Amino acid sequence: MAGTGWDIDRAATALLECEAGRYDRGPITEEWPELDYDTAYAVQDETLRRRLARGEKLIGVKLGLTSRAKQKRMGIDVPLVAGLTDAMLLPAGEPVPQGKLIHPRIEPEIVFILGRDLEGPGVSAAQALSAVDLVLGGAEVIDSRYRDFKFTLPDVVADNASSGAFVTGPVALPADGLDLALEAVLVEVDGAIVDSATGAAVQGHPAEALALAVNDLGRRGKKLEAGWIVLTGGMTDAVFAPPGSSVACHFTNLGSVYLHGGPAADAADGAGA
Amino acid sequence: MDAEARSRAARALLEAYETGKPIDPLIDANPEMVLEDSYAIQLIQIEHRLAAGATIKGHKVGLTSAAMQRQMQVTQPDFGHLLDDMFHLENSTISAGTFLQPRIEPEVAFVLRRPLTGPGVTVAEAAAAIDFVLPSLELIDSRIRDWKISFFDTVADNASSGGVVLGSTPVGVQDVDLRRSGCVLYRNGEVVGTGAGGAVLGSPITSLAWLANTLGARGVTLEAGHVVLPGSITASVPVTPGDTFSATFAGIGSVTVRFAPDAPEGK
């Protein structure tokens, strides 16, 4: 560490400054090759501590890298976990906050609301599912502080797993009787279907992703709390959401989530309204 | 292409079925090829098969997903014929040598209760013509080497048809939301694809209407009792000998196909 001038504090500052200033940067690991997985979580923890210190409230977690194919590429076998604060909430109908994000992309997700605390290790998918009070459809607006979303595993862990903003859907159902492996989503961009997937794309089942995440958090002495929101991970590849675009995520049982990119630049210029 | 060139291409494809040896893309030797050439070449092969005793059991629609159409640089699907010897029973084991380079696609198969004659068939009429829905796995295959197909090649090659395995639980078309319902494809127990029915042209029923109208323009009617494979819900997955594939469809059920473990001769 000594040779590079980097430490946890400096990495946290660099990432939060990118976020506040809406500019991207190269991977921190290029400048700080010693940044490993566990240190990266310490950086993420420090960014969260600073978010809370400026008045944001921790309201849940997002899981990242929940597809086995992506995990294999990144060399891990558990999802990433990152904190969600109330500042990331996007009320239904609001446009993607282009003014706060660098290069937002949208991913459809199955969302859990926890009915009780969940603490690993040793939590099974069945036990994790039994802690879920309600299931919703949702869409996450991911963003990365790294140029072109190019990063290594420690980089993305430090960067709060590319968190940006998120919106939850109109239907909240108890998990009983829902087969989340078969719960599908159809993604439309500007009225054209571009992709589809089911919950099985998320670690085989979103509750499997939750169990793996809770057990990994347990290893780091942390737990999930009753009432928290859990974004269980992107079901499809992310789609771009530039100004003027609209994205709809149609779920089998969880309703449709609509997002729009805000007014197109030329309309905003000429409208004068 | 003149009649002679079309007939030569059809013979080359028929021979590939018999020898199990794929051929070069037709477009290489026939750069002037257009879509009408491709369908004519397909039809020559089907007529040859019918003359030899085969019967038509239905049709398939291909290139129905945004991803596939992007890949093939087309904005329209294509269709192929399903013949009686392409249907395999769910519990039988398929010897890998049956196909040249098979891939699997999960589909919601339609069985028609009454004939559908386009053009002018609406989605409403298409839905009303469906007797029931079955879970299915299509075994696509290509007689073109390494799947190096252009749009014209795949159309000429019976839309890259190979075989069909139908599940045996009929479900009413009104009992399931075909657009929003999910499908998971497993290979040897591992998830290899997921999707929603709407990945097929927005809905598999839209695909049926497209087929009826496209065939109608050629004077062909979809017959009662015939099977229509409207298009794959996920990306296709390659088959290796010994594989077992299962697809589960929300509200419709599941279907399984097994391939014999022995490597096919000549591979």
Side-chain angles (χ1 to χ4, degrees):
Chain A
M1 229 181 273
T4 63
W6 280 90
D7 60 16
I8 290 165
D9 232 48
R10 182 175 162 195
T13 301
L15 288 166
L16 288 175
E17 281 180 0
C18 279
E19 190 175 316
R22 266 191 83 209
Y23 58 87
D24 53 18
R25 56 163 296 131
I28 291 178
T29 49
E30 283 184 2
E31 297 166 54
W32 185 18
E34 293 83 3
L35 178 64
D36 62 16
Y37 185 66
D38 285 332
T39 310
Y41 266 116
V43 173
Q44 188 200 106
D45 289 346
E46 175 59 20
T47 61
L48 181 62
R49 193 191 64 75
R50 295 190 200 178
R51 288 180 209 275
L52 301 185
R54 69 190 183 206
E56 294 177 31
K57 187 169 180 280
L58 181 61
I59 58 172
V61 293
K62 61 162 287 181
L63 313 186
L65 293 182
T66 48
S67 100
R68 288 190 204 278
K70 281 185 200 157
Q71 286 172 2
K72 216 174 269 177
R73 277 203 296 280
M74 284 291 197
I76 50 170
D77 50 14
V78 295
L80 307 186
V81 188
L84 295 176
T85 73
D86 58 342
M88 301 172 191
L89 269 169
L90 187 60
E94 288 294 310
V96 171
Q98 308 280 359
K100 287 166 63 182
L101 303 172
I102 301 165
H103 36 206
R105 299 182 189 180
I106 293 174
E107 292 180 345
E109 306 204 15
I110 290 171
V111 181
F112 292 154
I113 307 292
L114 296 184
R116 58 178 168 80
D117 290 5
L118 202 48
E119 186 166 11
V123 174
S124 71
Q127 289 166 317
L129 192 58
S130 79
V132 172
D133 186 24
L134 291 169
V135 182
L136 298 92
E140 186 182 2
V141 183
I142 60 168
D143 199 16
S144 175
R145 269 51 67 181
Y146 300 113
R147 201 157 301 134
D148 302 326
F149 278 79
K150 291 223 165 64
F151 44 68
T152 66
L153 180 65
D155 288 310
V156 66
V157 168
D159 188 28
N160 210 39
S162 306
S163 67
F166 68 96
V167 58
T168 53
V171 178
L173 294 175
D176 339 9
L178 272 184
D179 182 344
L180 292 179
L182 276 176
E183 179 72 19
V185 67
L186 196 59
V187 182
E188 274 177 359
V189 177
D190 298 334
I193 289 160
V194 297
D195 210 349
S196 73
T198 75
V202 179
Q203 210 80 54
H205 190 293
E208 288 286 354
L210 176 57
L212 287 169
V214 156
N215 291 333
D216 197 49
L217 280 175
R219 187 181 66 84
R220 295 192 285 122
K222 292 167 182 262
K223 65 173 183 175
L224 301 182
E225 294 179 21
W228 276 12
I229 291 168
V230 180
L231 305 184
T232 60
M235 300 166 75
T236 67
D237 285 342
V239 297
F240 285 99
S245 67
S246 67
V247 177
C249 304
H250 305 290
F251 291 86
T252 314
N253 297 292
L254 300 173
S256 296
V257 179
Y258 295 90
L259 267 170
H260 61 99
D266 51 345
D269 288 342
Chain B
M1 292 172 76
D2 60 19
E4 170 61 32
R6 287 175 171 181
S7 150
R8 199 165 45 236
R11 275 200 308 277
L13 287 165
L14 284 168
E15 201 176 295
Y17 280 97
E18 278 165 29
T19 61
K21 291 191 169 57
I23 61 173
D24 290 331
L26 300 173
I27 194 96
D28 288 0
N30 305 280
E32 76 282 18
M33 200 171 180
V34 295
L35 187 57
E36 268 325 294
D37 294 319
S38 300
Y39 276 118
I41 293 165
Q42 180 187 133
L43 213 55
I44 293 170
Q45 297 166 77
I46 298 303
E47 280 162 1
H48 176 88
R49 295 292 321 282
L50 297 181
T55 54
I56 292 176
K57 289 289 185 182
H59 292 82
K60 68 157 282 185
V61 184
L63 305 178
T64 49
S65 71
M68 280 303 298
Q69 291 192 357
R70 250 198 322 274
Q71 193 184 319
M72 299 296 284
Q73 298 177 301
V74 293
T75 52
Q76 60 179 323
D78 65 353
F79 71 83
H81 292 77
L82 300 177
L83 302 177
D84 57 340
D85 66 350
M86 292 165 62
F87 286 76
H88 298 264
L89 292 177
E90 185 172 13
N91 287 331
S92 60
T93 300
I94 296 178
S95 93
T98 309
F99 301 104
L100 282 70
Q101 33 192 353
R103 303 176 69 94
I104 291 282
E105 294 184 338
E107 308 197 23
V108 172
F110 296 137
V111 180
L112 300 184
R113 83 165 77 223
R114 57 172 185 250
L116 259 184
T117 308
V121 168
T122 65
V123 163
E125 288 160 334
I130 297 168
D131 196 1
F132 54 85
V133 169
L134 291 173
S136 78
L137 290 168
E138 184 182 359
L139 312 167
I140 58 167
D141 199 6
S142 181
R143 271 57 60 179
I144 309 290
R145 198 179 325 274
D146 302 327
W147 280 96
K148 292 229 161 28
I149 50 173
S150 68
F151 181 51
F152 299 141
D153 288 304
T154 184
V155 170
D157 189 21
N158 199 23
S160 304
S161 300
V164 190
V165 178
L166 296 176
S168 52
T169 47
V171 171
V173 69
Q174 67 277 25
D175 296 330
V176 55
D177 179 347
L178 289 174
R179 177 174 156 86
R180 292 187 184 223
S181 71
C183 167
V184 181
L185 178 65
Y186 299 86
R187 180 179 57 201
N188 305 325
E190 190 189 343
V191 175
V192 289
T194 72
V200 179
L201 294 182
S203 162
I205 298 176
T206 311
S207 179
L208 176 59
W210 177 87
L211 178 67
N213 289 328
T214 304
L215 285 175
R218 297 166 175 276
V220 177
T221 291
L222 293 174
E223 303 291 347
H226 274 193
V227 173
V228 172
L229 299 181
S232 184
I233 296 175
T234 71
S236 69
V237 177
V239 175
T240 53
D243 278 348
T244 297
F245 284 88
S246 274
T248 302
F249 303 79
I252 298 173
S254 64
V255 55
T256 297
V257 61
R258 284 190 301 161
F259 291 87
D262 297 321
E265 283 173 46
K267 280 209 174 174

